[in-house]
Every structure is written in structure tokens, then in C-alpha cells.
Amino acid sequence: MSRPSSFVPTPDQDVLDIKPLRTLSPMFPAPLGVNTFNQPSSPGTPPMVFVTTAGQFPGLRSFSAFGAQDAAGGRPASSNAQATGFGGQSAVYGGKTAANGTSNAGASADVPIDATPISVCKPTPPPTNAGASAGTPIYATPLAAYKPKTPNVIQLDDDDDDNDDDDYAVNQTSASGRAIKRPYRLSGYRTSGGLGSDSNSGVKIKRHKSSNRMAGTDHEFTLEPHSSSDPREVVEEVLMTFEALRRRHLQLDEAQETGKRADLKASAIMNAKNLRANAGRRIGGVPGVEIGDIFYFRMELSIIGLHAPSMAGIDYMTATFGDRDDDSVAICIVAAGVYENDDDATDTLVYSGSGGNNRNNEDMHDQKLERGNLALERSLSRKNVIRVVRGYKDPGCLAGKIYMYDGLYKIHESWKERTRAGINCFKYKLVREPGQPEGFAIWKMSRKWVANPDTRGNVLHPDLSSGAEYLPVCLVNDVNSEKGPGLFTYISEVKYLKPLSSLKPLQGCRCVSACLPTDSTCGCSQCNGGNLPYSSTGLLVCRKPMIYECGESCLCSVNCRNRVTQKGAKIHFEVFRTENRGWGLRSWDPIRAGSFICEYVGEVIDDEKFSLDDSKDDYLFQTVCPGRKTLKWNYGPELIGEQSANVSPDTFEPLPIKISAKKMGNISRFMNHSCAPNAFWQPVQFDHGDDGHPHIMFFALKHIPPMTELTYDYGEIGADSSGIGSPRAKSCLCGSSNCRGYFC
DNA sequence: GGCTACTCATATGC
DNA sequence: CGCATATGAGTAGC
């Protein structure tokens, strides 16, 4: 993950200060790097010229707004979050906790009226268990007597006084890890070799014989020789591969109007090839997974070892505590978030046990103290930490649910509650362990800002673009007293040297209304290698030397799905003062991998007149070969037997285009470099056919949580010889584990 | 004990 | 709203 540059933790800083999510990662020290991206701006001078698309704006309105904000602001830096008032100790009891639990709606901050501590609940006496069928509930068994026979026995230090994670270092002694052999049936997609067999009846993939999957320690996962030993890298690689596979499957499915659940297909392949991280179970944090990480599928949680079950909300394991009996303890829960209201409590959570509410209202029955519920109950007495993943259904968001890892919690109490439907339901109150970086709290906060930008503190200007962008671009400084970046003119479109009309036109398609993935005759689809380059939700499927969107010469409408980047960015950006890298760009919205972020806007520089002076331009964009991570974004086709679409540094061919955003540009001029970036550039054509001078569009390399700095790999000039000697080379201290040390 | 094969529980994602 | 289904626990049997 890119190291957001803006945070050097200091003792006096408020924990709730608005900071990027990742900065407190224990794995990486705070970045020390400084680059010279932003011109220094003296406090007295107007910081910039605000310009609309129509032309240069006199700036009167802007400047006065600027001053007003400034005066009104006047808050000390790094103290803006308190006003939002989350993190309180408010209890989450009552109405919210149970969609079905109306009886408690009025019970405020106290144990619900009809709540009974589970310890008081007397389980019904065990049925004569001799001939107990498989379905016999264990509910009846007294806890102490309950001794699961699962072979996955893991020993723990029997020492639960301390909060330290190390206490839960897991020694896997006997871990047979019996793999369930089950053919993975991938119906409805065709492979062109590789794993393929019998595409009519679906492809069967045998799961890897994984005798060593549970053995040893963490990372037997290797994708390829380059693969990192850094757990963070491994996790990101797994997720990137999953996403690449999923997008490609989606594309194939759409083309054939068949199949669904590309997420399941992708994970089937991942599992078949044993491409997963952190196999096995553990109490406490998962290596390479950081608080604030976001996910879009339950499968993603599963393949990185964060939460193994693909559907169930409670992940648990059997462990041996010292010389005591084996015990099942909960290790991770996914709080679905369907009962989410305006509850501001971000450090407590009331979780409902599982079971009982069968579909169709038939067969409703009391929840039983077994499996996950039992594990939670045992975790209450064991006091072990439990990972919490918060699910959040954004009403305004078309995509389904987003999951965010919110760190470690402990169960503080449990009780039984009668739901509206009349069944007994277990409730568990979880409290977030102190001292962890904020996760869900930042999420909630940024949602609030999106709903009402006025609630964002430390604002220097409400819209840097003065309306030129689809959404306002907030300028903020949580760090120091600097008033803004150096002077520049905000424009929203690239300034070409020649009028577009004089450029070679782009060939269009003759699709009526909209280009369809099933239509192989679509000219634009053919230009893109036979498929539409974007998914139906607008995600880029694959990184390519060039993407051709539909344009003016096409007959299709503006609603055609092959028009994505030309419509502009639709993200709530903010330009913010980083701690040590000048100004940077980040987003209030979560950004899903493959999403369009923004275009590199500036003045196209004439290749012939390119001078030494220009080469010192810090805002010059050139198509320099980026690092491995960016090049590998497509990794996935190889896994399903397709030809690799990847470009290697050897075959990379730069384009002649050079864009300078020094004097005029847009938000993308604030994107800093990182050797572990979360965005990449992609050439796109839609309004002209000069392939040497395409639009440079940025897409998300991975899921980007809100408030994480957006970065891309500036690349290295003369990678083969000496990038360091290059006139533009700057030393890089992005802080990532694979930092190259310099960039251009 | 090691292993396979089966059932069951879960609720997601489309 | 219905449907197909991945994962893992648990059980039975060889």
C-alpha cells in the first residue's frame, strides 16, 4: 500500500485527527521522503488562479471565498475531527441492534429489558445423545462438556491478561489441515486451453492437494519468482489477481450472456492454484491486512485469510489453551451492516448470533448455542481479540456492499433477546481495542462530508476547480498554516497544440443506442481486441497499450457503456497538505479497483520544441515505464490459459506525448509518486485518432479506502542504465518495502 | 489414524 | 425475491 505521506505520528496528536488510514501501520515507519513537487508559495501571495472551463476567472469570488474560509477557519491544525463527535462510548443497545428486536427500542444505553445473560440461560438438557443424528444441535450440551473433535487443533499461550497481539501468536502443532476435495465446477465460461476441459459442461478444476497448506507458517504462497516476502505485498498480489480474474470472467460472461458470480469463479481458480494468503486460522491481526482496508466481496476476505467462511458471519477455530480443554473461539466476524442507522458509535458494536431466521419465515426457531454462537460465547470468557469487518451498504452507491476491516475487538457481554418474530436471539457486545488506527470511524466521517461538505474542517477552499469538475474539489490543510499550493490555472481539459479537428479522426462504430458485449460486430469492440474494455459498472477490465472509447463518430448514445473516462471524474476529491511531500490528492469516496479516477490534464508540449528547461518541469507527464506492480495489473488471463496482456519493461514502448501541468492543470497534478502506487495511467482515445497523443487516464490499481492518498508510479527513466543520473531523477522515500529509491 | 464422501449450516451476490 | 452456491464443521465409513 502506498504510504500516505501526510502523517508522522506524534504523541500530542489526537487519535481522531483526520489522517490517511494507513499511516499507523506498524510495519512501516512514517515516510521521510521529500519531493519537490510543489512550488513554494509564500503566505502573502494569492495561491492560485481559479479558472473555469470557459476561461480564466478573475478570481474575485474565489479569493474572497478563500479569505473568508481562512478567517472563519482559524482552527488549529489537526483538531478538526472532534467536532464530528464520534468515538463516544455510547452503547449500541436497543432498537438498532435488532431489526427484529422492537421490544427494546426504548431501552437506552442499558441492557435490554428482556435480555438475559447467556451464562444464566440454562440450556435444555441434552437429548439422549446416543443416536444423535448429524443434525442434533449441540445446544443441549453443557459448555464445559463440549469438546469438538476437529483435527485443526491450534495451541495458544494460555495467558490472556495482556492485550498484546503477541499473546495470541499461534503455534500450529497439529495441523493436519485436511483439505476438502471437491471439484470446482465453473460452468458457463470458456477457456482457450490451460485448465480447460469440456466447455459445455463447465470446467472442472481440482483443488490443489494442499498437504502443506496448514503447515509451517504464513506464506507458502508464491505467485511467481518476483513475489515478495512482505506480507502486505503478498496480500495485495492475491487481491489483484483475484480482481483481474473476476473482471475477465465478468467480461466473458457478459459476452456470452451466460453465467453469473464471477467472484466465485475467480476464487475457485485462486483456490485451485493455491493462490491465497495467510492460510490457516489465527487469533489477532492478519499479516498484510491493515485496518481500513476495503473489500467488495466476501471471497476477498476469504482468500487473504481474514475471514474464511464465504457466507457465514462468524469465523472461529478450535484452540488449545495451555493444558485446558480444547475450545472453540471466535476469531473474526463480519457485521453485515444492514441495521446500520445514524449510529455514530464506531468503537462498539452489537452483533447478533447466527441462525434461527430461516427464509420464508418457515422453520423459525430459537438460535442455538452452537458453532459460531458458541465460539463467541467462549470468546467472551477467553477474552480473546476478534477481528471485525464492517459491512456497509451505501444507499447512494450502485455497487453492493463494501466491507472494511476495522481491527480488533473484544466481547464485553452477551445476552439473549427475543426478536419481533418471537425467536430467541443471541447478542454480543463488542468493544474496539484501544490504540488502533481508525478504520470505520474515518469511513463514517467521510460519508458525512460527502453528505454535507460543510462539516469538513480545515477547509482552505471549497472548490479548487470553481465548478470545472463534476464535483467540487476541496482544498484542505490539516497539517500546517500553508494557504495553498503554488499558482496555477485550473483547467478541465487537455490543451492540444492543434485543434482537434485537424487531428486524425477516430473510427467509430455503428451500434444503435448502445454497444453491447454480445455484439462482436461492434467496431469499437474490435478496436479493443474483441471485447468492450469496461464492465457494465464502468470498471476497466484490463490494462492495455490503448483503450478506444466510443466517440463522436459512433452512432451509439452517450449512455453507451464504452464511454467512461470522457464523462469526467465523479469522485469527491480533496487536495490536501501532506506532511512532507507538498500537496497531495485523496478521495472521500472509496474507489474500487479498475475505477476511472481522473485524467492528466495540462498543456501538450511540442516534442520538437522540448527543451532542457521543460525537462526540469516537475509537472511534466511522460509515458515512462512504470514498475512491476502497474505492469502486472492484468495478471489473471495467464491463469485461465489466455495469452498474457502484460507488457514487460523490455517491450514497453513510450509514447511521444508530453503533458505539462505546471501552469495549468487539474487535480491530477497533485498526485504524488509512490513505488507502491494505488493508481496507474492508461492511454485512452475518444475524440481523435492520433495514437501518439492520447488522453492519459488514471485508474485505481486496487481498492482504495477513503482518505488514502492517491499515487501512481512515475516510472524510472533509463531503468537499464542510470536513472539516478537523469536530470529529473529525484530520490524517493515513499516508504514502501520495494521502494526503488528514486523516480523521475 | 488417515483418508474420502457425505450432510448440514450459513447468507451472499446477482 | 429467488436461486445457486463456497466454505468449513461435523459425521460415517473404509
Side-chain angles (χ1 to χ4, degrees):
Chain A
M1 191 64 216
S2 68
R3 223 90 337 263
S5 53
S6 72
F7 191 32
V8 177
T10 56
D12 57 326
Q13 245 164 342
D14 193 293
V15 193
L16 286 175
D17 196 1
I18 302 155
K19 296 298 174 191
L21 294 177
R22 310 315 168 82
T23 42
L24 291 174
S25 160
M27 263 189 298
F28 304 98
L32 302 168
V34 174
N35 69 35
T36 52
F37 263 53
N38 293 282
Q39 304 154 358
S41 63
S42 52
T45 48
M48 68 197 71
V49 180
F50 299 96
V51 166
T52 65
T53 30
Q56 190 146 335
F57 194 77
L60 287 173
R61 181 172 59 98
S62 308
F63 284 145
S64 59
F66 209 97
Q69 266 294 334
D70 191 28
R75 309 159 214 197
S78 86
S79 68
N80 49 353
Q82 287 78 353
T84 60
F86 49 51
Q89 295 299 322
S90 55
V92 205
Y93 298 100
K96 167 243 153 164
T97 65
N100 16 8
T102 46
S103 55
N104 299 310
S108 67
D110 218 329
V111 179
I113 306 154
D114 59 348
T116 320
I118 287 176
S119 50
V120 179
C121 291
K122 265 221 175 110
T124 53
T128 44
N129 233 358
S133 69
T136 305
I138 313 168
Y139 180 41
T141 315
L143 282 182
Y146 178 64
K147 201 170 179 181
K149 288 171 194 140
T150 164
N152 290 347
V153 174
I154 292 177
Q155 279 196 342
L156 300 176
D157 294 342
D158 188 23
D159 166 11
D160 21 61
D161 297 330
D162 206 320
N163 288 346
D164 200 327
D165 289 2
D166 294 345
D167 272 355
Y168 299 101
V170 171
N171 265 334
Q172 300 192 349
T173 49
S174 131
S176 74
R178 183 182 77 201
I180 299 163
K181 277 238 178 100
R182 182 179 297 164
Y184 285 82
R185 188 189 167 82
L186 305 178
S187 58
Y189 91 100
R190 219 192 329 263
T191 59
S192 44
L195 309 164
S197 71
D198 189 18
S199 61
N200 285 333
S201 64
V203 180
K204 289 186 178 179
I205 296 176
K206 268 202 180 155
R207 180 192 280 241
H208 235 257
K209 172 125 183 168
S210 53
S211 53
N212 67 338
R213 232 174 88 185
M214 303 283 292
T217 44
D218 299 336
H219 328 290
E220 50 275 8
F221 167 82
T222 45
L223 258 182
E224 56 175 58
H226 305 298
S227 256
S228 169
S229 57
D230 175 354
R232 182 66 174 165
E233 294 275 306
V234 174
V235 164
E236 292 195 340
E237 216 154 334
V238 168
L239 290 173
M240 258 171 67
T241 307
F242 170 84
E243 264 297 295
L245 282 169
R246 196 191 63 81
R247 289 191 308 266
R248 178 62 180 142
H249 270 294
L250 200 61
Q251 193 178 45
L252 290 166
D253 286 349
E254 284 176 347
Q256 296 170 21
E257 273 186 308
T258 169
K260 278 171 192 161
R261 300 301 302 260
D263 56 323
L264 300 185
K265 290 174 186 170
S267 74
I269 294 169
M270 300 290 287
N271 281 332
K273 302 213 169 244
N274 207 19
L275 298 181
R276 33 187 313 154
N278 302 309
R281 285 180 150 72
R282 73 199 66 223
I283 294 176
V286 174
V289 181
E290 293 176 12
I291 292 174
D293 282 352
I294 57 171
F295 309 92
Y296 288 76
F297 293 93
R298 286 291 301 265
M299 278 303 174
E300 291 180 305
L301 308 179
S302 181
I303 58 174
I304 59 167
L306 184 60
H307 186 93
S310 58
M311 288 183 257
I314 306 165
D315 194 4
Y316 61 101
M317 71 178 194
T318 302
T320 304
F321 289 81
D323 19 338
R324 292 186 225 163
D325 286 342
D326 292 354
D327 219 345
S328 70
V329 286
I331 53 175
C332 186
I333 60 159
V334 178
V338 275
Y339 308 140
E340 208 70 48
N341 282 326
D342 335 286
D343 201 326
D344 267 347
T346 51
D347 59 355
T348 61
L349 170 72
V350 172
Y351 190 79
S352 304
S354 74
N357 36 348
N358 275 8
R359 42 177 172 261
N360 303 336
N361 286 344
E362 286 172 23
D363 221 16
M364 296 279 287
H365 56 80
D366 287 356
Q367 290 188 347
K368 295 165 190 159
L369 195 55
E370 60 183 23
R371 303 171 198 279
N373 297 347
L374 177 64
L376 285 169
E377 189 58 30
R378 300 307 299 138
S379 285
L380 170 61
S381 47
R382 290 286 178 206
K383 301 189 198 324
N384 66 291
V385 289
I386 296 171
R387 299 187 293 272
V388 167
V389 177
R390 303 253 196 174
Y392 189 89
K393 177 94 178 79
D394 194 348
C397 180
L398 287 174
K401 206 178 281 177
I402 297 181
Y403 301 95
M404 178 180 269
Y405 174 53
D406 195 33
L408 304 177
Y409 285 62
K410 274 185 185 171
I411 302 181
H412 280 219
E413 58 180 306
S414 68
W415 64 94
K416 226 173 174 183
E417 210 170 290
R418 185 161 287 274
T419 68
R420 188 192 306 173
I423 63 162
N424 281 327
C425 170
F426 294 114
K427 296 282 175 181
Y428 303 89
K429 185 191 177 190
L430 292 98
V431 178
R432 199 161 190 264
E433 288 289 284
Q436 303 181 86
E438 297 296 340
F440 192 60
I442 292 183
W443 171 276
K444 286 285 239 182
M445 189 168 60
S446 65
R447 291 303 84 198
K448 200 173 187 171
W449 296 344
V450 167
N452 180 8
D454 293 341
T455 54
R456 172 70 166 111
N458 292 337
V459 172
L460 297 172
H461 193 278
D463 185 10
L464 204 58
S465 82
S466 297
E469 298 288 353
Y470 193 80
L471 293 168
V473 178
C474 215
L475 176 68
V476 298
N477 187 343
D478 298 324
V479 174
N480 57 28
S481 57
E482 225 178 290
K483 297 298 179 219
L487 196 83
F488 80 104
T489 304
Y490 201 104
I491 56 173
S492 61
E493 285 177 13
V494 183
K495 287 218 179 314
Y496 282 99
L497 293 164
K498 302 175 214 162
L500 283 178
S501 56
S502 69
L503 295 171
K504 190 178 131 195
L506 189 65
Q507 267 200 329
C509 66
R510 291 196 207 94
C511 299
V512 187
S513 172
C515 301
L516 296 172
T518 46
D519 181 7
S520 57
T521 65
C522 167
C524 294
S525 187
Q526 286 166 3
C527 286
N528 287 300
N531 287 112
L532 293 175
Y534 304 112
S535 77
S536 58
T537 51
L539 302 181
L540 182 67
V541 174
C542 203
R543 189 167 194 269
K544 292 181 172 184
M546 189 71 70
I547 294 287
Y548 297 94
E549 295 193 0
C550 290
E552 268 182 26
S553 43
C554 295
L555 294 181
C556 60
S557 79
V558 289
N559 295 322
C560 169
R561 77 146 81 168
N562 194 28
R563 300 168 185 264
V564 173
T565 65
Q566 58 189 275
K567 290 180 179 170
K570 298 192 173 80
I571 294 173
H572 291 91
F573 292 109
E574 74 172 28
V575 171
F576 72 107
R577 186 61 171 85
T578 68
E579 195 74 37
N580 52 14
R581 292 203 291 180
W583 298 82
L585 182 68
R586 63 189 176 193
S587 158
W588 294 350
D589 303 311
I591 305 175
R592 189 170 177 178
S595 300
F596 169 57
I597 297 178
C598 62
E599 173 170 9
Y600 198 91
V601 168
E603 298 172 282
V604 174
I605 305 261
D606 198 331
D607 222 3
E608 289 154 18
K609 293 180 192 157
F610 187 73
S611 67
L612 189 65
D613 209 33
D614 291 323
S615 72
K616 287 179 186 155
D617 180 355
D618 282 335
Y619 293 93
L620 184 70
F621 178 90
Q622 297 181 85
T623 56
V624 184
C625 184
R628 183 180 70 88
K629 214 161 194 168
T630 300
L631 293 176
K632 267 188 55 133
W633 193 66
N634 297 325
Y635 191 74
E638 297 89 332
L639 289 176
I640 53 175
E642 293 181 344
Q643 202 182 358
S644 167
N646 284 340
V647 175
S648 77
D650 301 330
T651 58
F652 176 85
E653 285 188 29
L655 297 167
I657 189 164
K658 292 181 172 62
I659 304 173
S660 172
K662 187 174 186 174
K663 294 177 204 148
M664 42 186 80
N666 72 346
I667 41 176
S668 58
R669 74 197 289 282
F670 295 107
M671 249 196 282
N672 285 317
H673 164 85
S674 172
C675 297
N678 52 23
F680 63 84
W681 56 267
Q682 160 74 56
V684 176
Q685 291 292 47
F686 58 85
D687 56 0
H688 66 79
D690 177 3
D691 279 358
H693 298 80
H695 293 270
I696 300 299
M697 301 297 189
F698 290 101
F699 290 84
L701 191 78
K702 50 198 172 196
H703 304 322
I704 307 173
M707 298 301 282
T708 304
E709 182 174 6
L710 305 176
T711 56
Y712 71 100
D713 191 335
Y714 286 10
E716 19 184 349
I717 277 183
D720 46 340
S721 53
S722 63
I724 297 162
S726 154
R728 295 187 67 232
K730 298 177 182 61
S731 64
C732 173
L733 288 156
C734 68
S736 71
S737 63
N738 58 348
C739 177
R740 291 194 299 266
Y742 64 93
F743 61 92
C744 70

